Amino acid sequence: MSMSTEKPLNQTNKNTIYIPPKRSFSHYVKLLLIVGVVFLLHYWSVRGIEVNPDRISFERTLDFLSRTFPPNWEVTQTVMGAALETLQIAIIGTTGGAILSIPFGFLAASNIVHPTVRVCVRTLLNTIRSIPLILYALFFVVAVGLGPLAGTLATVIYSVGMLGKFYSEAIEAIDPKPVEGILSTGASKLKALRYGIIPQVLPHFIAYTFYRFELNFREATILGLVGAGGIGFYITLYMRSFEYTRLATVTFIILVMVVVIDMLSSYLRKKIT
Amino acid sequence: MTSKKKLIKAEQLEIVYPKRKGSETTPALQDISLTVEEEEFIAVIGKSGAGKTTFLRSLTGFVRPSAGKLVVNDIDVMRTSKKKIYELRRNVATIYQSFNLVERMTALDNALCGRLGYIGNIRGLLGLFPKKDKEFAYRTLVDLGLEDRVHYRVDQLSGGERQRVAIARALVQQPQIVLADEPAASLDISLTKFVLNTLKDLNKQNGLTVLVNLHDIELAKMYATRIIALQRGRIVFDGEPEKLTEDLLEVIYNEYEHGEASKSNE
């Protein structure tokens, strides 16, 4: 319609005949095969999870929700205490994880270490990441006993899996020129690391750490389910004793804290980079 | 005249970069033999790819020669320890075309990096520079006309200001030799002249030896006491600027163009 799209079209050779792309028979066979596999996969999954339309009842859901209302604010003080414990777990878990991730980050960066070392450290970080937080929590509950220490240690290890990888990627993305600039003054490699590499990666490290802190607070809310400290304990407690109005209070407090932490953290991240 | 110290001695120097897949290995530098005495101001000319940068980087051990002999400041660059290389780089400062400064640090902190070769690892890592080093770096920046930019972060400075910070870092090293790799390529002509005048003054007043890569032959003639012309990794001229006659230049220029033309026709 507009002039800008019409003009170049007018300039093309009108005698050129349009030839559509050729699609072979095997192209359609492949397409059919993919559709078939995706369908079978979903059929198998739906069978497995026993989808029963009778059980998805609007009334029952409404009934449950009505029993959570109004939230019981009497437990606010108790729940807030546990919520702050979750926050403490997230703070120490993130800082601990960040500190541990620094050496891992350097050892997984291709421009710092030999490829063999890099592959080994990357594999280790991938392994750490592939295990869910709750399993680390279970392990530490056995190792150091019930309570927030177990949850904190679980968060530390779990954070290293992601932060180590992100840190190493930040290190790999640095500009090598300032590093040569520092080396050209006669500085040792260690000093070149301090003056050439650290100033370049530090803002990224801090931003990733804040992001990890947001995730850690959210994920730490479930640590209490296995006795690893924090607000999660009250989720299971009130759920099992059918005290849904108290559960609503817990949910509300988590919601508010997550929103506030996310806002603060993303504001700070923007400030840094 | 005869008692002048020989700072750089190169004999039959050859540099071959490691072979890459699908490309032939042609030496970046070949058959380079020369001596540089103290207080010389040398311009290395030649078109890009002629080996100018490789030559400068080899002098401070950033590129390892594959054959020949290279002695800089009495240190055999090809067979020496890491520690000696650090010592060598401290005395042979480099100024880069793209400045190679740390963007997120201030001008002063960048200039102070010139002292890193003089202090221990612990002090260096903690940033504990002696007070006289800080004052020296500060004064150097002021002398280069950066008095109101000292505490600015480098990423807030203009190209000309950045190059002056880079010069300051080199001077703070208190070097005997300054290598400048196309120091003016990213600057306009007045800034270019400022940079070259600064180097020339240091050369005349402080006896600093200067080796500068330039692609501009007019500038080379204007500033240098000796010109070395490189072509495809070989020295094609080495002598006083006056001896680089119009005829000779014509030949070099034409040869450049021939080289260019035959390459693009391949």
Side-chain angles (χ1 to χ4, degrees), chain A residues 36-85:
Chain A
V37 167
V38 170
F39 177 78
L40 281 175
L41 211 58
H42 283 82
Y43 178 72
W44 174 72
S45 303
V46 168
R47 288 280 306 261
I49 59 177
E50 295 168 26
V51 177
N52 184 352
D54 298 340
R55 281 174 58 188
I56 305 171
S57 144
F58 184 65
E59 276 121 78
R60 270 175 63 174
T61 313
L62 213 66
D63 178 48
F64 168 71
L65 285 178
S66 72
R67 277 194 280 155
T68 65
F69 196 81
N72 182 344
W73 300 114
E74 279 164 34
V75 291
T76 305
Q77 207 167 358
T78 325
V79 173
M80 263 317 279
L84 291 179
E85 192 176 88

Side-chain angles (χ1 to χ4, degrees), chain A residues 176-192 194-196 199-200 203 272-273, chain B residues 57 62 86 89-90 92 96 98 100-102 104-105 113 116-117 119-121 124-125 127 129 169 173:
Chain A
K177 282 176 184 167
V179 183
E180 186 175 322
I182 299 291
L183 284 172
S184 79
T185 67
S188 63
K189 281 189 177 167
L190 208 61
K191 289 176 194 158
R194 158 76 174 77
Y195 290 93
Q200 289 194 62
I272 291 158
T273 47
Chain B
R57 292 184 83 220
F62 281 109
Y86 294 155
R89 288 177 188 163
R90 196 177 74 188
V92 184
Y96 293 88
S98 43
N100 292 21
L101 298 167
V102 183
R104 294 183 73 95
M105 293 200 319
C113 283
L116 282 174
I119 61 173
N121 261 333
L125 291 181
F129 291 93
R169 179 172 72 189
Q173 287 176 236

Side-chain angles (χ1 to χ4, degrees), chain A residues 181-182 184-185, chain B residues 93-102 106-114 140-141 144 146 154 157-173 175 178-184 186-187 194-195 198-199 202:
Chain A
I182 299 291
S184 79
T185 67
Chain B
T94 307
I95 297 166
Y96 293 88
Q97 174 179 352
S98 43
F99 322 130
N100 292 21
L101 298 167
V102 183
T106 63
L108 182 63
D109 285 341
N110 268 285
L112 256 177
C113 283
T140 308
L141 287 165
L144 288 162
L146 292 168
V154 166
L157 301 182
S158 71
E161 288 164 345
R162 285 173 196 215
Q163 192 55 294
R164 279 185 275 169
V165 176
I167 294 172
R169 179 172 72 189
L171 297 182
V172 167
Q173 287 176 236
V178 167
L179 311 175
D181 187 11
E182 295 280 359
S186 14
L187 306 175
F194 174 84
V195 168
T198 307
L199 291 175
L202 289 160

Side-chain angles (χ1 to χ4, degrees), chain B residues 229-242:
Chain B
L230 288 177
Q231 195 202 358
R232 292 196 201 171
R234 289 175 185 277
I235 294 176
V236 290
F237 174 84
D238 182 355
E240 289 161 19
E242 298 79 50

